[in-house]
Amino acid sequence: MSRYAVFGNPIAHSKSPLIHRSFAEQLKDSLSYEARLAPVDDFAAGWAEFVAEGGQGANVTMPFKEQAFRLVDVLSPRARRAGAVNTLMLGKTGQLYGDTTDGVGLTRDLERLEAPLTGARILILGAGGAVRGVLEPLLAKQPAALVIANRTAAKASALVEDFADLAGQGCLLSGGSYAAIEGQFDLVINGTSASLGGELPPLPDSLFSPQALAYDMMYAAEPTVFMRWASERGARVEDGLGMLVEQAAESYFLWRHKRPETGPVADMLRRMLAEG
Ligand code: NDP
């Protein structure tokens, strides 16, 4: 039986085993998928142990996305851009391939939600690993403007510099502090980890255009503080549960060349979250 796993530290809370086992069941595919803890500073050792046991591929979550990036033999172009790897695959000759599916996971979920993308004004909050990972697929949708705002403004400016070549002629890509945010946006994506601590970045009240979507990459049983704030200002709101399931589906496709249906799995997770 083919063996897969998710690596993290901590990892006990991970929904990935449930998601991938549900995909396998749906597709009548024979595989095992487990959660594995690796030492914080030695992901390579954890991976080598798994390979010795017959492991063929893995997802990688916090704090290992950068260590995995450094470990692989062959990087996909999108993983190179993102500077992170969330999907590992062992090739037939023993080469290790690394890819990232977070970005495509977000854009698939945004498409499901019929979010304004092409020609839209998009604001992204945050400039960490998650935001770096989603910029390429978002820019590929050719928005009219993409603004990155971050607490540490220099990190937003650095991302603008790194991705300027992908912005193309029609897209105004810019970045800076929260205080510098100007105008209204059709889509506002919270890619900060502020929601984890129940915090909200300092945002102007008149942020949303009519019918705007506010999307928090974080998910929880209850709407996040960002979602509540956005909802009170008239925006449609969504959390990152769909992104989680879509990035998993893309990893599954890379390993198994089969595409699972994501809707039923997202619905099951949503029900489980609500039941606690
Ligand atoms: P990083 O640690 O790389 O970056 C954190 C970002 O959040 C930085 O931009 C940081 O700003 C900002 N930040 C942290 N605390 C605050 C605060 N109190 N106020 C304002 N800004 C703050 O984290 P990641 O990029 O890896 O993850 C970000 C979020 O995305 C997490 O909530 C994570 O759960 C979520 N995520 C969801 C996924 C999904 O599938 N749904 C996939 C990947 C991530 P500064 O630079 O100034 O420190």
Side-chain angles (χ1 to χ4, degrees), residues 25-148:
E25 199 175 310
Q26 188 193 102
L27 294 165
K28 306 202 181 348
D29 200 4
S30 170
L31 59 83
S32 72
Y33 190 106
E34 63 200 274
R36 289 181 80 110
L37 193 74
V40 173
D41 55 355
D42 200 358
F43 169 70
W47 169 251
E49 199 178 308
F50 183 54
V51 171
E53 290 170 25
Q56 284 162 280
N59 287 124
V60 178
T61 186
M62 296 238 288
F64 296 130
K65 289 183 181 180
E66 286 78 19
Q67 286 186 53
F69 179 85
R70 291 195 294 274
L71 186 69
V72 300
D73 302 308
V74 184
L75 276 174
S76 71
R78 62 187 180 187
R80 188 180 301 281
R81 268 280 175 185
V85 153
N86 81 339
T87 308
L88 293 174
M89 287 158 284
L90 206 54
K92 286 202 172 71
T93 57
Q95 270 197 321
L96 182 58
Y97 293 87
D99 202 346
T100 181
T101 63
D102 282 339
V104 71
L106 173 68
T107 47
R108 290 243 167 82
D109 200 36
L110 290 173
E111 281 163 357
R112 173 187 71 85
L113 294 162
E114 296 178 2
L117 293 167
T118 306
R121 282 179 52 79
I122 302 177
L123 171 66
I124 305 193
L125 314 174
V131 170
R132 174 174 279 276
V134 302
L135 287 176
E136 181 177 1
L138 279 178
L139 286 167
K141 297 289 173 195
Q142 297 180 305
L146 198 154
V147 178
I148 306 166

Side-chain angles (χ1 to χ4, degrees), residues 15 18 220-222 267-276:
K15 303 272 186 289
L18 182 62
E222 302 293 329
D267 290 347
M268 172 200 65
L269 280 181
R270 184 70 69 197
R271 278 196 304 275
M272 284 181 59
L273 269 182
E275 287 161 9

Side-chain angles (χ1 to χ4, degrees), residues 62 65 102 126-131 150-152 155 178 191-194 196 199 201 217-219 240 243-244 247:
M62 296 238 288
K65 289 183 181 180
D102 282 339
V131 170
N150 195 42
R151 183 173 61 182
T152 313
K155 278 167 70 178
Y178 289 113
T192 73
S193 44
L196 282 172
E199 287 181 44
M217 285 199 207
M218 203 193 115
Y219 64 87
M243 174 180 174
L244 176 79
Q247 63 79 27

Side-chain angles (χ1 to χ4, degrees), residues 200-231:
L200 182 72
L203 299 168
D205 269 318
S206 56
L207 193 60
F208 300 108
S209 63
Q211 276 101 47
L213 174 68
Y215 189 100
D216 201 329
M217 285 199 207
M218 203 193 115
Y219 64 87
E222 302 293 329
T224 66
V225 59
F226 169 71
M227 289 164 69
R228 290 201 304 273
W229 181 88
S231 189

